[in-house]
Structure formats: structure tokens, C-alpha cells
Coordinates of all heavy atoms in Angstrom, one line a residue:
M1 N 17.6 -4.7 22.6 CA 16.4 -4.7 21.8 C 16.8 -4.1 20.5 O 17.2 -3.0 20.5 CB 15.4 -3.9 22.6 CG 14.0 -3.9 22.0 SD 12.8 -2.9 22.8 CE 12.5 -3.9 24.2
G2 N 16.4 -4.7 19.4 CA 16.6 -4.2 18.0 C 15.6 -3.3 17.5 O 14.4 -3.3 18.0
W3 N 15.8 -2.5 16.6 CA 14.8 -1.7 15.9 C 14.2 -2.4 14.8 O 14.6 -3.3 14.1 CB 15.6 -0.5 15.2 CG 16.1 0.5 16.2 CD1 17.3 0.6 16.8 CD2 15.5 1.6 16.7 NE1 17.4 1.6 17.5 CE2 16.4 2.4 17.5 CE3 14.1 2.2 16.4 CZ2 16.0 3.5 18.2 CZ3 13.8 3.3 17.2 CH2 14.8 4.0 18.0
R4 N 12.8 -2.2 14.8 CA 12.0 -2.8 13.8 C 11.7 -1.7 12.7 O 11.5 -0.6 13.0 CB 10.8 -3.2 14.3 CG 9.8 -3.8 13.4 CD 8.6 -4.5 14.0 NE 7.8 -5.0 12.9 CZ 6.6 -5.1 12.9 NH1 5.8 -4.9 14.0 NH2 5.8 -5.5 12.0
S5 N 11.8 -2.2 11.5 CA 11.6 -1.3 10.3 C 10.1 -0.9 10.4 O 9.2 -1.7 10.2 CB 11.9 -2.0 9.0 OG 11.6 -1.1 8.0
M6 N 9.8 0.3 10.5 CA 8.4 0.9 10.6 C 8.1 1.7 9.4 O 9.0 2.2 8.7 CB 8.2 1.6 12.0 CG 8.5 0.9 13.1 SD 7.3 -0.4 13.4 CE 6.0 0.5 14.1
G7 N 6.9 2.0 9.2 CA 6.4 2.7 8.2 C 6.7 4.3 8.3 O 7.4 4.6 9.3
I8 N 6.2 5.0 7.4 CA 6.3 6.4 7.6 C 5.0 7.0 8.4 O 4.0 6.8 8.0 CB 6.5 7.2 6.1 CG1 7.7 6.5 5.4 CG2 6.4 8.6 6.2 CD1 7.7 7.0 4.1
Y9 N 5.4 7.9 9.3 CA 4.4 8.5 10.0 C 4.4 10.1 10.1 O 5.6 10.6 10.2 CB 4.5 8.0 11.6 CG 4.4 6.6 11.7 CD1 5.4 5.7 11.7 CD2 3.1 6.0 11.9 CE1 5.4 4.3 11.7 CE2 2.9 4.7 12.0 CZ 4.0 3.8 11.8 OH 3.8 2.5 11.8
L10 N 3.5 10.7 9.9 CA 3.4 12.2 9.9 C 2.2 12.5 10.8 O 1.1 12.3 10.6 CB 3.1 12.7 8.4 CG 4.0 12.4 7.3 CD1 3.5 12.9 6.1 CD2 5.3 13.1 7.7
K11 N 2.6 12.9 11.9 CA 1.6 13.3 13.0 C 0.6 12.2 13.2 O -0.6 12.5 13.2 CB 0.9 14.6 12.6 CG 1.8 15.8 12.7 CD 1.1 17.1 12.4 CE 2.2 18.3 12.4 NZ 1.5 19.6 12.2
G12 N 1.0 11.1 13.4 CA 0.2 10.0 13.5 C -0.5 9.4 12.3 O -1.3 8.3 12.3
L13 N -0.2 9.7 11.1 CA -0.7 9.3 9.9 C 0.1 8.2 9.4 O 1.2 8.3 9.2 CB -0.8 10.3 8.8 CG -1.3 10.0 7.5 CD1 -2.7 9.6 7.5 CD2 -1.1 11.1 6.5
E14 N -0.4 7.1 9.3 CA 0.3 5.8 8.7 C 0.1 5.9 7.2 O -1.0 6.1 6.7 CB -0.3 4.5 9.2 CG 0.0 4.4 10.7 CD -0.7 3.1 11.2 OE1 -1.7 2.5 10.5 OE2 -0.3 2.7 12.3
L15 N 1.3 5.6 6.5 CA 1.3 5.6 5.1 C 1.7 4.2 4.6 O 2.8 3.8 5.1 CB 2.2 6.7 4.5 CG 1.8 8.2 4.9 CD1 2.9 9.1 4.5 CD2 0.5 8.5 4.3
Y16 N 0.8 3.6 3.8 CA 1.2 2.3 3.3 C 1.9 2.3 1.9 O 1.2 2.9 1.0 CB 0.0 1.4 3.1 CG -0.5 1.0 4.5 CD1 -1.2 1.7 5.5 CD2 0.0 -0.4 5.0 CE1 -1.5 1.3 6.6 CE2 -0.5 -0.8 6.2 CZ -1.3 0.2 7.0 OH -1.5 -0.3 8.2
P17 N 3.0 1.7 1.7 CA 3.8 1.8 0.3 C 3.0 0.8 -0.6 O 2.7 -0.2 -0.3 CB 5.1 1.3 0.6 CG 5.0 0.5 1.9 CD 3.7 1.0 2.7
A18 N 2.9 1.4 -1.8 CA 2.3 0.6 -3.0 C 3.3 0.9 -4.2 O 3.6 2.0 -4.5 CB 0.9 1.0 -3.2
R19 N 3.6 -0.2 -4.8 CA 4.5 0.0 -6.1 C 3.6 0.1 -7.2 O 2.7 -0.7 -7.3 CB 5.4 -1.3 -6.2 CG 6.4 -1.2 -7.5 CD 7.2 -2.4 -7.5 NE 6.5 -3.7 -7.7 CZ 6.3 -4.1 -9.0 NH1 6.8 -3.3 -10.0 NH2 5.7 -5.0 -9.2
V20 N 3.8 1.1 -8.0 CA 2.9 1.5 -9.0 C 3.7 1.4 -10.3 O 4.8 1.8 -10.5 CB 2.4 2.9 -9.0 CG1 1.6 3.4 -10.2 CG2 1.6 3.3 -7.7
H21 N 3.1 0.7 -11.4 CA 3.8 0.3 -12.6 C 2.8 0.2 -13.6 O 1.5 -0.1 -13.3 CB 4.8 -0.8 -12.5 CG 4.1 -2.1 -12.2 ND1 3.5 -2.5 -11.0 CD2 3.7 -3.3 -13.1 CE1 3.0 -3.7 -11.1 NE2 3.1 -4.1 -12.4
C22 N 3.1 0.3 -14.9 CA 2.3 0.2 -16.0 C 2.5 -1.2 -16.6 O 3.6 -1.6 -16.8 CB 2.6 1.3 -17.0 SG 1.4 1.2 -18.4
E23 N 1.4 -1.9 -16.8 CA 1.3 -3.3 -17.5 C 0.2 -3.4 -18.4 O -0.9 -3.2 -18.1 CB 1.2 -4.2 -16.2 CG 1.5 -5.8 -16.8 CD 1.6 -6.6 -15.6 OE1 2.4 -6.4 -14.6 OE2 0.9 -7.6 -15.7
G24 N 0.6 -3.7 -19.6 CA -0.4 -3.8 -20.7 C -1.3 -2.6 -21.0 O -2.3 -2.8 -21.2
G25 N -0.8 -1.4 -20.6 CA -1.5 -0.1 -20.9 C -2.3 0.3 -19.6 O -3.0 1.4 -19.7
F26 N -2.3 -0.5 -18.7 CA -3.1 0.0 -17.4 C -2.1 0.0 -16.2 O -1.1 -0.6 -16.3 CB -4.1 -1.1 -17.0 CG -5.4 -1.1 -17.9 CD1 -5.4 -1.8 -19.1 CD2 -6.3 -0.2 -17.8 CE1 -6.5 -2.0 -19.9 CE2 -7.4 -0.1 -18.6 CZ -7.5 -1.0 -19.7
Y27 N -2.4 0.9 -15.4 CA -1.4 1.1 -14.3 C -2.0 0.2 -13.0 O -3.2 0.1 -12.9 CB -1.4 2.5 -13.8 CG -0.6 3.4 -14.8 CD1 -1.2 3.9 -15.8 CD2 0.8 3.5 -14.4 CE1 -0.4 4.6 -16.9 CE2 1.5 4.4 -15.4 CZ 1.0 4.8 -16.6 OH 1.7 5.5 -17.5
Q28 N -1.1 -0.3 -12.3 CA -1.3 -1.4 -11.2 C -0.6 -0.8 -10.0 O 0.5 -0.4 -10.1 CB -1.0 -2.6 -11.6 CG -1.2 -3.8 -10.6 CD -0.8 -5.1 -11.1 OE1 -1.1 -5.4 -12.3 NE2 -0.3 -5.8 -10.2
A29 N -1.3 -0.6 -8.9 CA -0.6 -0.4 -7.5 C -0.9 -1.6 -6.7 O -1.9 -2.0 -6.4 CB -1.5 0.8 -6.9
D30 N 0.3 -2.2 -6.3 CA 0.4 -3.3 -5.4 C 0.8 -3.0 -4.0 O 2.0 -2.3 -3.9 CB 1.4 -4.4 -6.0 CG 0.9 -4.9 -7.3 OD1 -0.2 -5.6 -7.3 OD2 1.4 -4.8 -8.3
F31 N 0.1 -3.2 -2.9 CA 0.6 -2.9 -1.6 C 1.8 -3.8 -1.2 O 1.5 -5.0 -1.2 CB -0.6 -3.0 -0.7 CG -1.5 -1.8 -0.7 CD1 -2.7 -1.7 -1.5 CD2 -1.0 -0.6 -0.1 CE1 -3.5 -0.7 -1.6 CE2 -1.8 0.7 -0.2 CZ -3.1 0.5 -1.0
I32 N 2.8 -3.4 -0.8 CA 4.0 -4.1 -0.5 C 3.8 -4.9 0.8 O 4.2 -6.2 0.8 CB 5.2 -3.2 -0.4 CG1 5.6 -2.6 -1.7 CG2 6.4 -3.8 0.3 CD1 6.6 -1.4 -1.7
D33 N 2.8 -4.4 1.8 CA 2.8 -5.1 3.0 C 1.6 -5.9 3.1 O 1.3 -6.7 4.0 CB 2.8 -4.0 4.2 CG 3.9 -3.3 4.2 OD1 5.0 -3.8 4.3 OD2 3.8 -2.0 4.3
I34 N 0.8 -5.9 2.1 CA -0.4 -6.7 1.9 C -0.6 -7.5 0.7 O -1.0 -6.9 -0.4 CB -1.7 -5.7 2.2 CG1 -1.5 -4.7 3.3 CG2 -3.1 -6.5 2.2 CD1 -2.4 -3.6 3.3
P35 N -0.2 -8.7 0.7 CA -0.1 -9.6 -0.5 C -1.5 -9.6 -1.2 O -2.7 -9.7 -0.4 CB 0.3 -11.1 0.0 CG 0.8 -10.7 1.3 CD 0.2 -9.5 1.9
H36 N -1.6 -9.6 -2.4 CA -2.9 -9.7 -3.2 C -3.8 -8.4 -3.1 O -5.0 -8.6 -3.5 CB -3.6 -11.0 -2.9 CG -2.7 -12.2 -3.0 ND1 -2.0 -12.6 -4.2 CD2 -2.3 -13.1 -2.1 CE1 -1.3 -13.6 -4.0 NE2 -1.4 -13.9 -2.6
C37 N -3.4 -7.4 -2.4 CA -4.1 -6.2 -2.5 C -3.5 -5.3 -3.4 O -2.5 -4.7 -3.3 CB -3.9 -5.6 -1.0 SG -5.1 -4.3 -0.6
R38 N -4.5 -5.1 -4.4 CA -3.9 -4.2 -5.4 C -5.1 -3.5 -6.2 O -6.3 -3.8 -6.0 CB -3.3 -5.0 -6.6 CG -4.1 -5.9 -7.2 CD -3.3 -6.8 -8.4 NE -2.0 -7.1 -7.9 CZ -1.7 -8.6 -7.7 NH1 -2.6 -9.4 -7.7 NH2 -0.5 -8.9 -7.2
A39 N -4.8 -2.4 -6.9 CA -5.8 -1.4 -7.5 C -5.3 -1.3 -9.0 O -4.1 -1.3 -9.2 CB -6.0 -0.2 -6.8
Y40 N -6.1 -0.8 -9.8 CA -5.9 -0.6 -11.1 C -6.4 0.8 -11.6 O -7.4 1.3 -11.0 CB -6.5 -1.6 -12.2 CG -6.0 -3.1 -11.7 CD1 -6.7 -3.7 -11.0 CD2 -4.8 -3.5 -12.4 CE1 -6.2 -5.1 -10.6 CE2 -4.4 -4.8 -12.1 CZ -5.1 -5.6 -11.2 OH -4.6 -6.8 -10.9
G41 N -5.8 1.3 -12.8 CA -6.4 2.6 -13.2 C -5.8 2.9 -14.6 O -4.8 2.3 -15.0
S42 N -6.4 3.8 -15.4 CA -5.9 4.1 -16.8 C -4.9 4.9 -16.6 O -4.2 5.3 -17.7 CB -7.0 4.5 -17.6 OG -7.6 5.7 -17.0
S43 N -4.5 5.7 -15.4 CA -3.4 6.5 -15.3 C -2.8 6.1 -13.9 O -3.5 5.4 -13.1 CB -3.8 8.0 -15.3 OG -4.5 8.3 -14.2
A44 N -1.7 6.6 -13.6 CA -1.0 6.4 -12.4 C -1.8 7.0 -11.3 O -1.9 6.4 -10.2 CB 0.5 6.9 -12.3
I45 N -2.2 8.2 -11.5 CA -3.1 8.9 -10.5 C -4.4 8.1 -10.3 O -4.7 7.9 -9.1 CB -3.4 10.3 -11.0 CG1 -2.2 11.2 -11.1 CG2 -4.4 11.0 -10.0 CD1 -1.2 11.3 -9.8
E46 N -5.1 7.5 -11.2 CA -6.2 6.7 -11.0 C -6.0 5.4 -10.1 O -6.7 5.1 -9.3 CB -6.8 6.4 -12.3 CG -7.7 7.5 -12.9 CD -8.3 7.1 -14.2 OE1 -8.6 5.9 -14.4 OE2 -8.7 7.9 -15.0
A47 N -4.8 4.9 -10.5 CA -4.3 3.8 -9.7 C -4.1 4.0 -8.2 O -4.6 3.4 -7.4 CB -3.1 3.1 -10.3
E48 N -3.5 5.2 -7.9 CA -3.3 5.6 -6.4 C -4.6 5.9 -5.8 O -5.0 5.6 -4.6 CB -2.5 6.8 -6.5 CG -0.9 6.5 -6.8 CD -0.1 7.8 -6.7 OE1 -0.3 8.5 -5.7 OE2 0.9 7.9 -7.5
V49 N -5.5 6.6 -6.5 CA -6.9 6.9 -5.8 C -7.6 5.5 -5.6 O -8.2 5.3 -4.5 CB -7.7 7.8 -6.9 CG1 -9.1 7.8 -6.4 CG2 -7.0 9.1 -6.9
A50 N -7.5 4.7 -6.6 CA -8.2 3.3 -6.4 C -7.5 2.5 -5.3 O -8.2 1.9 -4.6 CB -8.2 2.6 -7.8
A51 N -6.2 2.7 -5.3 CA -5.6 2.0 -4.1 C -6.0 2.4 -2.7 O -6.1 1.6 -1.8 CB -4.0 2.2 -4.2
A52 N -6.3 3.7 -2.6 CA -6.8 4.3 -1.3 C -8.2 3.6 -1.0 O -8.5 3.2 0.1 CB -6.9 5.7 -1.3
E53 N -8.9 3.5 -2.0 CA -10.3 2.8 -1.8 C -10.2 1.4 -1.5 O -10.9 0.9 -0.6 CB -11.2 3.0 -3.1 CG -11.4 4.5 -3.4 CD -12.2 4.7 -4.7 OE1 -12.3 3.7 -5.5 OE2 -12.4 5.9 -5.0
V54 N -9.3 0.6 -2.2 CA -9.1 -0.7 -2.0 C -8.4 -1.0 -0.6 O -8.9 -2.0 0.1 CB -8.1 -1.3 -3.0 CG1 -7.5 -2.8 -2.6 CG2 -8.9 -1.4 -4.2
L55 N -7.6 -0.1 -0.1 CA -7.1 -0.2 1.2 C -8.2 -0.1 2.3 O -8.3 -0.9 3.2 CB -5.9 0.8 1.4 CG -5.2 0.7 2.8 CD1 -4.4 -0.6 2.9 CD2 -4.2 1.8 2.8
Q56 N -9.1 0.9 2.1 CA -10.1 1.2 3.0 C -11.1 -0.2 3.0 O -11.5 -0.6 4.1 CB -11.0 2.3 2.6 CG -12.1 2.6 3.6 CD -12.9 3.9 3.3 OE1 -12.6 4.5 2.3 NE2 -13.6 4.3 4.3
Q57 N -11.4 -0.7 1.8 CA -12.3 -1.9 1.8 C -11.5 -3.1 2.6 O -12.3 -3.9 3.2 CB -12.6 -2.3 0.3 CG -13.5 -1.3 -0.4 CD -13.5 -1.6 -1.9 OE1 -12.9 -2.5 -2.3 NE2 -14.3 -0.6 -2.5
H58 N -10.3 -3.2 2.4 CA -9.7 -4.3 2.9 C -9.5 -4.2 4.4 O -9.8 -5.2 5.2 CB -8.1 -4.4 2.3 CG -7.3 -5.6 2.7 ND1 -7.5 -6.8 2.2 CD2 -6.4 -5.8 3.6 CE1 -6.8 -7.7 2.6 NE2 -6.0 -7.0 3.6
A59 N -9.4 -3.0 4.9 CA -9.4 -2.6 6.5 C -10.8 -3.1 7.0 O -10.8 -3.7 8.1 CB -8.9 -1.2 6.7
K60 N -11.8 -2.6 6.3 CA -13.1 -3.0 6.7 C -13.4 -4.5 6.8 O -14.0 -5.0 7.8 CB -14.1 -2.4 5.9 CG -14.4 -0.8 6.1 CD -15.4 -0.3 5.2 CE -15.6 1.2 5.4 NZ -16.7 1.8 4.5
M61 N -13.0 -5.0 5.8 CA -13.2 -6.6 5.7 C -12.4 -7.3 6.9 O -12.8 -8.1 7.5 CB -12.6 -7.2 4.4 CG -12.8 -8.7 4.2 SD -11.6 -9.8 4.7 CE -10.2 -9.1 3.8
L62 N -11.1 -6.8 7.2 CA -10.4 -7.4 8.3 C -11.1 -7.1 9.6 O -11.1 -7.9 10.5 CB -9.0 -6.8 8.3 CG -8.0 -7.3 7.2 CD1 -6.7 -6.4 7.2 CD2 -7.8 -8.8 7.3
G63 N -11.7 -5.9 9.6 CA -12.3 -5.5 11.0 C -13.4 -6.3 11.2 O -13.8 -6.6 12.5
R64 N -14.1 -6.8 10.2 CA -15.4 -7.7 10.5 C -14.8 -9.0 11.2 O -15.6 -9.8 11.9 CB -16.0 -8.2 9.2 CG -16.8 -7.0 8.6 CD -17.6 -7.6 7.3 NE -17.8 -6.4 6.4 CZ -17.3 -6.2 5.2 NH1 -16.7 -7.2 4.7 NH2 -17.6 -5.2 4.6
Y65 N -13.5 -9.3 11.0 CA -12.9 -10.6 11.6 C -12.2 -10.2 13.0 O -11.4 -11.1 13.4 CB -12.3 -11.4 10.6 CG -13.1 -12.0 9.5 CD1 -13.1 -11.2 8.3 CD2 -13.9 -13.0 9.7 CE1 -13.9 -11.7 7.3 CE2 -14.7 -13.4 8.6 CZ -14.8 -12.7 7.4 OH -15.6 -13.1 6.4
G66 N -12.2 -9.0 13.4 CA -11.5 -8.6 14.6 C -10.0 -8.5 14.2 O -9.1 -8.5 15.2
R67 N -9.7 -8.3 13.0 CA -8.2 -8.2 12.7 C -7.9 -6.7 12.2 O -8.8 -6.0 11.9 CB -7.9 -9.2 11.5 CG -8.0 -10.6 12.0 CD -7.7 -11.6 11.0 NE -6.5 -11.5 10.4 CZ -6.0 -12.0 9.2 NH1 -7.0 -12.6 8.5 NH2 -4.9 -11.9 8.9
H68 N -6.6 -6.3 12.1 CA -6.2 -5.0 11.7 C -5.3 -5.0 10.5 O -4.6 -6.2 10.2 CB -5.5 -4.3 12.8 CG -6.4 -4.3 14.1 ND1 -7.5 -3.3 14.1 CD2 -6.5 -5.0 15.2 CE1 -8.1 -3.5 15.2 NE2 -7.5 -4.5 15.9
L69 N -5.0 -4.0 9.8 CA -4.0 -3.9 8.8 C -2.6 -4.2 9.5 O -2.4 -3.7 10.7 CB -4.1 -2.4 8.1 CG -5.2 -2.3 7.2 CD1 -5.2 -0.9 6.7 CD2 -5.1 -3.1 6.0
P70 N -1.7 -4.8 8.8 CA -0.4 -4.9 9.3 C 0.3 -3.5 9.3 O -0.1 -2.5 8.6 CB 0.4 -5.8 8.3 CG -0.4 -5.6 7.1 CD -1.7 -5.3 7.5
L71 N 1.3 -3.3 10.3 CA 2.0 -2.1 10.3 C 2.7 -1.8 8.8 O 3.3 -2.8 8.3 CB 3.1 -2.0 11.4 CG 2.5 -2.1 12.8 CD1 3.7 -2.3 13.8 CD2 1.7 -0.8 13.1
P72 N 2.7 -0.7 8.4 CA 3.3 -0.3 7.1 C 4.9 -0.5 7.4 O 5.3 -0.2 8.4 CB 2.8 1.1 6.8 CG 2.5 1.7 8.1 CD 2.1 0.5 9.0
S73 N 5.5 -0.8 6.3 CA 7.1 -0.9 6.4 C 7.7 0.1 5.4 O 6.9 0.9 4.7 CB 7.5 -2.2 6.0 OG 7.1 -2.5 4.5
I74 N 8.8 0.2 5.5 CA 9.7 1.1 4.6 C 10.0 0.1 3.4 O 10.7 -0.9 3.6 CB 10.9 1.6 5.2 CG1 10.5 2.6 6.4 CG2 11.8 2.3 4.3 CD1 11.6 3.1 7.3
P75 N 9.7 0.5 2.2 CA 10.1 -0.3 1.1 C 11.6 -0.7 1.0 O 12.4 0.1 1.1 CB 9.6 0.4 -0.1 CG 8.9 1.6 0.3 CD 9.3 1.7 1.8
A76 N 11.9 -2.0 0.6 CA 13.3 -2.3 0.4 C 13.6 -2.1 -1.0 O 12.8 -1.7 -1.8 CB 13.3 -3.9 0.7
R77 N 14.8 -2.1 -1.4 CA 15.4 -1.9 -2.7 C 14.7 -2.8 -3.8 O 14.4 -2.2 -4.8 CB 16.8 -2.0 -2.8 CG 17.5 -0.9 -2.0 CD 19.1 -1.1 -2.3 NE 19.8 -0.2 -1.5 CZ 20.2 1.1 -1.7 NH1 19.8 1.6 -2.9 NH2 20.9 1.8 -0.9
E78 N 14.4 -3.9 -3.5 CA 13.8 -4.7 -4.5 C 12.3 -4.4 -4.9 O 11.9 -4.8 -5.9 CB 13.8 -6.3 -4.1 CG 12.9 -6.5 -2.6 CD 13.7 -6.5 -1.5 OE1 14.9 -6.1 -1.6 OE2 13.2 -7.1 -0.5
H79 N 11.8 -3.5 -4.1 CA 10.4 -3.1 -4.4 C 10.6 -1.8 -5.4 O 9.5 -1.4 -5.9 CB 9.5 -2.7 -3.2 CG 9.3 -3.8 -2.4 ND1 9.8 -4.0 -1.1 CD2 8.6 -4.8 -2.6 CE1 9.3 -5.1 -0.6 NE2 8.6 -5.6 -1.6
R80 N 11.8 -1.2 -5.6 CA 11.9 -0.1 -6.4 C 12.6 -0.6 -7.7 O 13.7 -0.6 -8.0 CB 12.9 1.0 -5.7 CG 12.3 1.4 -4.4 CD 13.2 2.2 -3.7 NE 12.8 2.6 -2.5 CZ 13.3 3.1 -1.5 NH1 14.6 3.3 -1.6 NH2 12.7 3.6 -0.3
L81 N 11.6 -1.0 -8.6 CA 12.0 -1.7 -9.8 C 12.1 -0.7 -10.9 O 11.3 0.4 -10.8 CB 11.0 -2.9 -10.2 CG 10.9 -3.9 -9.2 CD1 9.9 -5.0 -9.6 CD2 12.3 -4.7 -9.1
P82 N 12.7 -0.9 -12.1 CA 12.7 0.1 -13.3 C 11.3 0.2 -13.7 O 10.5 -0.7 -13.7 CB 13.5 -0.6 -14.3 CG 14.4 -1.6 -13.5 CD 13.6 -2.0 -12.3
D83 N 11.0 1.4 -14.1 CA 9.8 1.8 -14.8 C 8.5 1.5 -13.7 O 7.3 1.3 -14.0 CB 9.3 0.9 -15.9 CG 10.3 1.0 -17.1 OD1 10.8 2.1 -17.2 OD2 10.6 0.1 -17.8
S84 N 8.9 1.8 -12.4 CA 7.9 1.8 -11.4 C 8.3 2.9 -10.3 O 9.4 3.3 -10.3 CB 7.7 0.5 -10.7 OG 8.8 0.1 -10.0
Y85 N 7.4 3.1 -9.4 CA 7.8 4.0 -8.3 C 7.0 3.5 -7.1 O 5.8 2.8 -7.3 CB 7.5 5.5 -8.6 CG 6.0 5.9 -8.8 CD1 5.2 6.4 -7.7 CD2 5.4 5.7 -10.0 CE1 4.0 6.7 -8.0 CE2 4.1 6.1 -10.2 CZ 3.3 6.6 -9.2 OH 2.0 6.9 -9.4
V86 N 7.3 4.2 -5.9 CA 6.6 3.7 -4.7 C 5.6 4.8 -4.2 O 6.3 6.1 -4.0 CB 7.5 3.2 -3.6 CG1 6.7 3.0 -2.3 CG2 8.3 1.9 -4.0
A87 N 4.3 4.6 -4.2 CA 3.5 5.7 -3.7 C 3.0 5.4 -2.2 O 3.1 4.2 -1.9 CB 2.2 5.6 -4.6
F88 N 2.9 6.4 -1.4 CA 2.5 6.1 -0.1 C 1.1 6.5 0.1 O 0.7 7.7 -0.1 CB 3.5 7.0 0.9 CG 4.9 6.5 0.8 CD1 5.7 6.9 0.0 CD2 5.2 5.4 1.6 CE1 7.1 6.4 -0.1 CE2 6.5 4.9 1.6 CZ 7.4 5.4 0.7
I89 N 0.2 5.4 0.4 CA -1.1 5.7 0.6 C -1.6 5.8 2.0 O -1.3 4.9 2.8 CB -2.0 4.4 -0.2 CG1 -1.4 4.1 -1.5 CG2 -3.3 4.7 -0.1 CD1 -1.5 5.3 -2.6
P90 N -2.4 6.9 2.3 CA -2.7 7.0 3.7 C -3.7 5.9 4.3 O -4.5 5.3 3.5 CB -3.5 8.3 3.8 CG -3.3 8.9 2.5 CD -2.8 7.9 1.6
A91 N -3.5 5.5 5.5 CA -4.3 4.4 6.1 C -5.7 4.9 6.2 O -5.8 6.2 6.5 CB -3.8 4.1 7.4
P92 N -6.7 4.2 6.1 CA -8.1 4.7 6.2 C -8.4 4.9 7.7 O -7.9 4.4 8.5 CB -9.0 3.4 5.7 CG -8.0 2.3 5.8 CD -6.6 2.8 5.8
A93 N -9.3 6.0 7.8 CA -9.7 6.4 9.2 C -11.0 5.5 9.4 O -12.0 6.0 8.8 CB -9.9 7.8 9.2
I94 N -10.9 4.5 10.1 CA -12.1 3.6 10.4 C -12.4 3.7 11.9 O -11.6 3.6 12.7 CB -11.8 2.1 9.9 CG1 -11.6 2.2 8.4 CG2 -12.9 1.2 10.2 CD1 -11.4 0.9 7.7

């Protein structure tokens, strides 16, 4: 049985990686494990705060259909691009 790449866990806290970068003067946070789930802000911190809110909304929407967020992963090297960093956003408590 092989190991599966899992996310980061701190005492049961799931952390979802999001790549944060500046584009056109605005910061954008894209969740690596959730396609098309992104947040924006006028600063990197605002983008991270907005990302937590977007993740919570996405989890609620999935819950309405009996689905859950995917398990968070560990970002691969291709997600660590120049002029960007990976932020770890806590999973919502729903």
C-alpha cells in the first residue's frame, strides 16, 4: 500500500494551499486543490482573508449537494512560481 500525498494537519486542522500572486495591481489567491476557486484583494493579506471566506462559501455550496471539499494536498514545485507564494488557508468549521 503506497502513501498518498496529504495536506498539512495541526491537531486535526486541515489547511488548504492557495497560490497568492499579484496580477494587474490586485492580489489573487487560487486554491490548488479546488479548480476555479479563487479570491482577490488589494493586498496579499486581503486576498488571504477573502480566500478563507470563499473556501467557506464553497464548502457550504458543496454541502447542499451532499458533497465535501477534497482533501488538501501538499503543493508541488510547479505551484511555487516566481513572484508568488503558497498560503495555507484553514478549512471552514461547518
